[in-house]
Amino acid sequence: MKKIILAFSLLALLTTSCGTKKKIAALEAKNKEIQDLLNTATIKLNACLTEKDAIASQIDFLKKNNSDLINNMGNMTTLTAKGAENIEKALETIKEKDLKITRMQDALTKKDSVTLALVTSLKREVGISDPDIEVNVEKGVVFISISDKLLFKSGSYVVSDRAKEILTKVAKVINSKPDFECMVEGHTDNVPFIGNGVLLDNWDLSVKRSTSIVRVLTKDLKVNPAQLIAAGRGEYIPLVDNSNAENRATNRRTRIVILPKIDQFYDMIEKEMKNPTK
């Protein structure tokens, strides 16, 4: 009987032990499943935390950037106002410069018109057909060049009768232009002048011939003395080389330089040029 009871006890123990192992195995499997889920959740949580930090940093950046943009908008408004003001000032400056350029162009046009009219008048009055009388324009100035053989005898500063006929035509033009000045220039060749007690050299001869013509223009032909300038250039501005008699004759001349006095235009140009920053 005892043997039977012992056998049943062992059987029961074995049966209980097998059931416990199955439960333990099931629990271990469940634990592993839960651990895997926990690991997965931990990984996702860490990823979320990292993403959260990145988003937080981005939010901070966006906030700062937004604040900077707001400040810049204020600055841009200020800069835009200043820019508009500067553009307006620049346009005003351009307009002023355009006006000055227009004024200077008008002055030069007026000067050129006066010069052209003067040349036309002189050619008509003086008789440009004479080969010993030349009327031309150089750098806006009118020149009448008269050969000395029409004005003086060799080595003399006494004005000839033929010269007075020519000077009468020149005086007519000068008298019609009271706002002009005329410089009478005497020129000689390079042959040394032999002093005669009154004249010492070619300088003296050229100046004396100039003053002789000025006297004819003022005393005989009633030209206003305030319009005239007497000058002697001697032998130092030859037209051609003094290598032969023909060339020396060309260099012996009296040149009347006619200078229009358009003071208001020249003064304006000078004033504008002295103020380049305006």
Side-chain angles (χ1 to χ4, degrees):
M1 186 67 180
K2 289 181 179 180
K3 290 182 179 179
I4 294 171
I5 294 171
L6 181 61
F8 275 110
S9 298
L10 289 171
L11 180 63
L13 181 62
L14 289 172
T15 302
T16 303
S17 177
C18 289
T20 301
K21 287 181 179 180
K22 287 181 180 179
K23 289 181 179 179
I24 290 172
L27 290 172
E28 288 179 347
K30 189 68 174 177
N31 181 64
K32 184 178 183 303
E33 182 181 351
I34 292 172
Q35 187 66 41
D36 290 341
L37 290 174
L38 179 60
N39 291 338
T40 301
T42 301
I43 292 172
K44 289 184 177 180
L45 175 61
N46 290 334
C48 289
L49 291 173
T50 301
E51 185 176 356
K52 177 186 174 184
D53 291 340
I55 291 173
S57 297
Q58 187 173 7
I59 289 173
D60 290 340
F61 171 77
L62 290 174
K63 285 181 178 179
K64 184 178 184 303
N65 191 48
N66 185 57
S67 177
D68 291 341
L69 286 173
I70 292 173
N71 292 333
N72 287 337
M73 285 179 64
N75 293 334
M76 286 296 294
T77 301
T78 302
L79 290 174
T80 301
K82 289 182 178 179
E85 183 180 352
N86 290 337
I87 291 173
E88 186 175 354
K89 289 181 178 179
L91 290 174
E92 290 177 358
T93 300
I94 291 173
K95 289 180 180 179
E96 290 177 1
K97 290 186 179 296
D98 286 342
L99 179 59
K100 291 175 182 179
I101 290 172
T102 300
R103 288 174 178 173
M104 286 188 282
Q105 289 175 338
D106 290 344
L108 293 174
T109 300
K110 178 67 175 178
K111 175 179 176 292
D112 291 341
S113 298
V114 172
T115 300
L116 178 61
L118 178 59
V119 171
T120 301
S121 176
L122 285 170
K123 287 183 177 181
R124 181 177 62 251
E125 296 293 340
V126 175
I128 192 61
S129 59
D130 193 324
D132 293 315
I133 303 174
E134 182 180 359
V135 178
N136 55 44
V137 179
E138 297 176 14
K139 298 180 180 180
V141 179
V142 179
F143 298 90
I144 306 172
S145 187
I146 307 172
S147 173
D148 271 10
K149 68 182 180 181
L150 296 179
L151 300 175
F152 309 101
K153 294 180 180 179
S154 178
S156 172
Y157 54 86
V158 177
V159 180
S160 66
D161 292 336
R162 170 63 175 143
K164 291 180 181 179
E165 294 178 13
I166 298 169
L167 294 176
T168 297
K169 297 178 180 180
V170 174
K172 183 178 179 180
V173 175
I174 297 174
N175 287 332
S176 69
K177 302 290 187 296
D179 290 333
F180 288 14
E181 287 184 343
C182 297
M183 182 165 61
V184 181
E185 293 182 347
H187 296 262
T188 68
D189 58 28
N190 67 342
V191 176
F193 180 78
I194 300 175
N196 57 10
V198 177
L199 305 177
L200 300 179
D201 51 25
N202 282 329
W203 274 115
D204 279 354
L205 179 60
S206 64
V207 172
K208 194 64 176 177
R209 285 180 170 178
S210 173
T211 55
S212 294
I213 291 175
V214 165
R215 287 191 182 92
V216 171
L217 290 173
T218 55
K219 292 184 177 180
D220 299 341
L221 303 175
K222 309 305 179 185
V223 173
N224 181 4
Q227 291 181 253
L228 300 178
I229 304 168
R233 308 303 294 268
E235 63 196 67
Y236 300 103
I237 308 180
L239 295 175
V240 293
D241 186 81
N242 285 290
S243 57
N244 55 59
E246 183 179 354
N247 284 1
R248 287 192 292 273
T250 298
N251 291 329
R252 293 192 301 271
R253 67 199 187 280
T254 295
R255 189 170 71 163
I256 300 175
V257 185
I258 300 182
L259 310 167
K261 291 175 59 178
I262 316 174
D263 295 337
Q264 62 273 32
F265 295 104
Y266 292 136
D267 288 346
M268 181 189 67
I269 292 176
E270 184 178 2
K271 182 178 180 181
E272 299 293 350
M273 296 304 291
K274 286 182 179 179
N275 293 279
T277 58
K278 291 185 177 181

